[in-house]
Amino acid sequence: MIRRCNDKDFAAIVEIINDAAEAYRGAIPADRWKDPYMPEQELRHEIASGVVFWGYEEDGELIGV
């Protein structure tokens, strides 16, 4: 099921973003890469700025954003 993410999904969103970024390590320009790719504080800032995340949930677990 695709649904809008909420505050309870924050930890899963961070994990999914950073896990996905690993697949592109080497393809993401070195001057853009950082570890973690999306620190929690940066994600909080993006959400506070109005970014809305939607995710795919399967068996009660958020598995994609």
Side-chain angles (χ1 to χ4, degrees), residues 24-34 37:
Y24 294 96
R25 187 187 286 261
I28 296 172
D31 66 333
R32 302 284 184 224
W33 180 262
K34 56 190 182 278
Y37 186 73

Side-chain angles (χ1 to χ4, degrees), residues 43-61:
L43 180 59
R44 288 185 199 287
H45 174 72
E46 294 296 322
I47 292 170
S49 296
V51 175
V52 176
F53 286 86
W54 290 77
Y56 181 75
E57 182 179 300
E58 186 171 277
D59 297 327
E61 181 182 357

